[in-house]
Amino acid sequence: MNLHYIQEIVNCFSLFDESGNLLGSASSPIQIWKDGDCIEQSSTDIWYAICAAVKAACSLADVAGEEVSGLGFAATCSLVAVDADGSPVTVSWSGDARRNVIVWMDHRAVKQAERINSCNSPVLQYCGGSLSPEMQPPKLLWVKDNLQESWSMAFRWMDLSDWLSYRATGDDTRSLCTTVCKWTYLGHAHMEQINEKDSRDMEACGWDDDFWEEIGLGDLVERHHAKIGRSVAFPGHALGSGLTPAAAKARNLELGLAAGTPVGSSLIDAHAGGVGVMESIPESESETKDDKEAICRRMVLVCGTSTCHMAVSRNKVFIPGVWGPYWSAMVPEFWLTEGGQSATGASLDYIADNHVASPHLANRAASQSISLFELLNKILESMMHDLKTPFLAALTNDIHVLPDFHGNRSPIADPKAKGMVCGLTLDTSEKQLALLYFATVQGIAYGTRHIVEHCNSHGHKIETLLACGGLAKNPLYIQEHADIIGFPIILPKESESVLLGAAILGAVAAKKYSSLNEAMKALNAAGQVIHPSKDPKVKKYHDAKYRVFRELYEQQLSHRSIMAQALD
């Protein structure tokens, strides 16, 4: 019998065999509430969706629950509130108890983030110099400021992936990934202390109590940080006694797996993508697998609703406006640098959904059984031939997009940044939509180039990109990134790398591999390699557009200053 490893990413459940091959996958819809900057979900709804997806995926793969040998969770870095009984505590103005999850992209806590950043705590140097409103301390402070009853009721505050692990095992051990990246936990301090004791001692000793006191959340220090994490472990650490009988039993709203199934401590979904792809090196470059520094010359792009840019180093690298350095937050015993763009897939959806030509094009795409973006790619190819442009990218010579529709996460770290489009006309045709979409793709790629250049100028030596996630399946998107950044981009053999990365947690918890690092080398595999254009005209063109891209933000700052003076 083959061993099977599972990952669950919010509402998706996938099974992999011991060679890292995807056997089956299923998903179940989850509810989301959006009201301005407030975006909320229900942890109960998410759990029920997972349970439904588990049964569907096992059925599709023809795998019995007792055959599953390991379980791993990955999820968005959203904030979950529960009371002493594990019941949801509302984080919503509505008072609806179901709405106990503040979604990662929620920006309600901008003012709280500004207050925290004004304190200049030493912990801020480990997250690029300032906290984002997408991180957990600003969101926690917002709840305390605005929902006093919820604040007093909450017994545990958890990242969503940690809550899923806790719900499955009853073990409240948090992951170094979530706590270091989103909660200001100092992973290097944690490891320095447990090295002096016993490697099995998972006491959470990386919290900076002065920080929590200074920002007005000193009550979270009480009872040895019980509300935010008394114990912290490497991703993949086996939790408790595995799956509890209550979570495992095969009734309607539970998993239908065997009690005691090993469960690994969690990863944030983007970081699971990094684990699932970081060692995906072509056989022609296999000699680099023996080069212990080769992994430090790579950057993983996890491309979905947002894009995360993951690079690791042996030594800590401090980069203004870029999150980290985070010790062991993704790859154990490496420092993680994490850049990001808050809305990439979401920006493309926004551009498409709000154009008058979109409904008609969506119908045409459906009739051809392709996505809207595949159809737009075809339209662009036809336009290039019809207009006899020298290369595809030249179609956008007079339309430019700054895609900061949800602020700039990296490297400017400006949550107040806005999107900009230069070159609009009265044209409402499908061709105009195609150009606007293409210019947005390019704008996203220029943003990644900005992040890569910024990281390299501060000590990294990135020379190869690896890409995974939904947007990585779009050939135009990947080719533009390669051409604009000037680096080859490796696509993984397993396109669902986020799922594989989380499944690796189950494999490590089940003791199939001695470490996460070993599992990555064994289960990551390379697919296609996309090389940048060798045409010097393409490079010259993108250098010019990149200059315009950078100037758009400078113009925005100027406009912001002019209007601020007018309103002063």
Side-chain angles (χ1 to χ4, degrees), residues 453-515:
E453 289 181 353
H454 190 66
C455 288
N456 281 347
S457 70
H458 284 81
H460 277 286
K461 298 178 181 179
I462 298 157
E463 58 187 30
T464 300
L465 303 179
L466 302 98
C468 64
L471 293 177
K473 299 173 185 177
N474 183 335
L476 179 140
Y477 185 91
I478 294 299
Q479 187 64 61
E480 288 302 296
H481 274 69
D483 291 348
I484 286 167
I485 301 163
F487 294 163
I489 299 180
I490 301 171
L491 301 178
K493 177 183 176 183
E494 174 49 67
S495 62
E496 300 296 347
S497 297
V498 174
L499 310 184
L500 174 61
I504 285 172
L505 300 175
V508 175
K511 310 301 183 188
K512 174 66 177 178
Y513 299 96
S514 62
S515 68

Side-chain angles (χ1 to χ4, degrees), residues 39 50 76 79-80 190 197 199 216 224 369 386 410 447 452-453 465 469 485 524 538 562 565:
I39 308 173
I50 287 173
T76 61
L79 179 65
V80 181
H190 168 97
K197 298 180 180 180
S199 62
H224 303 288
S369 299
D386 293 345
S410 302
V452 171
E453 289 181 353
L465 303 179
I485 301 163
N524 286 189
V538 173
I562 290 169
Q565 291 175 30

Side-chain angles (χ1 to χ4, degrees), residues 6-301:
I6 304 173
Q7 87 75 45
E8 295 170 342
I9 179 166
V10 184
N11 67 326
C12 183
F13 178 91
S14 301
L15 294 99
F16 291 82
D17 66 17
E18 59 188 355
S19 299
N21 299 311
L22 180 63
L23 301 179
S25 184
S27 62
S28 184
I30 54 175
Q31 191 166 6
I32 188 166
W33 292 271
K34 296 182 180 181
D35 184 9
D37 286 333
C38 296
I39 308 173
E40 298 152 355
Q41 289 178 314
S42 161
S43 63
T44 303
D45 177 53
I46 291 169
W47 181 258
Y48 289 170
I50 287 173
C51 293
V54 166
K55 295 176 179 65
C58 286
S59 176
L60 287 169
D62 195 24
V63 172
E66 57 270 18
E67 293 182 85
V68 172
S69 298
L71 177 65
F73 290 93
T76 61
C77 48
S78 301
L79 179 65
V80 181
V82 294
D83 65 17
D85 297 323
S87 300
V89 174
T90 185
V91 293
S92 174
W93 281 119
S94 70
D96 185 345
R98 294 175 300 169
R99 295 157 70 166
N100 71 318
V101 180
I102 301 181
V103 177
W104 68 269
M105 68 175 72
D106 183 293
H107 270 209
R108 71 182 71 184
V110 170
K111 290 183 179 179
Q112 284 74 18
E114 291 173 348
R115 277 163 51 193
I116 293 171
N117 292 332
S118 70
C119 294
N120 295 316
S121 168
V123 303
L124 299 181
Q125 66 180 311
Y126 289 94
C127 50
S130 62
L131 290 188
S132 162
E134 296 173 12
M135 293 177 177
Q136 309 307 9
K139 291 174 180 175
L140 290 164
L141 187 55
W142 183 93
V143 175
K144 187 173 184 179
D145 286 346
N146 295 281
L147 301 175
Q148 272 294 324
E149 185 176 356
S150 293
W151 184 255
S152 62
M153 288 176 60
F155 188 76
R156 285 187 174 89
W157 295 98
M158 309 183 78
D159 244 69
L160 178 56
S161 58
D162 283 334
W163 179 83
L164 293 171
S165 298
Y166 170 70
R167 178 67 177 78
T169 66
D171 186 340
D172 190 19
T173 297
R174 314 294 176 96
S175 169
L176 272 170
C177 178
T178 58
T179 53
V180 171
C181 293
K182 305 302 173 185
W183 295 75
T184 72
Y185 189 80
L186 302 176
H188 51 291
H190 168 97
M191 191 48 58
E192 285 169 6
Q193 184 164 333
I194 70 170
N195 281 342
E196 294 172 0
K197 298 180 180 180
D198 187 305
S199 62
R200 294 169 295 176
D201 182 356
M202 295 299 171
E203 179 186 350
C205 45
W207 296 116
D208 185 321
D209 294 351
D210 291 341
F211 165 74
W212 294 106
E213 294 283 357
E214 187 177 13
I215 68 172
L217 296 177
D219 40 348
L220 296 179
V221 174
E222 297 171 2
R223 295 185 300 117
H224 303 288
H225 316 96
K227 289 187 177 182
I228 57 176
R230 278 183 170 177
S231 61
V232 179
F234 282 123
H237 169 76
L239 296 173
S241 299
L243 204 58
T244 64
K249 59 187 176 182
R251 67 184 179 85
N252 223 21
L253 298 178
E254 300 301 335
L255 296 172
L257 305 176
T261 301
V263 178
S265 57
S266 67
L267 284 164
I268 298 167
D269 54 354
H271 301 67
V275 167
V277 74
M278 182 65 88
E279 293 283 6
S280 298
I281 300 304
E283 300 234 349
S284 60
E285 300 177 31
S286 59
E287 66 275 5
T288 64
K289 291 188 176 181
D290 298 322
D291 179 357
K292 293 183 179 180
E293 298 304 313
I295 193 173
C296 300
R297 297 191 292 273
R298 304 170 196 155
M299 175 178 276
V300 175
L301 311 183

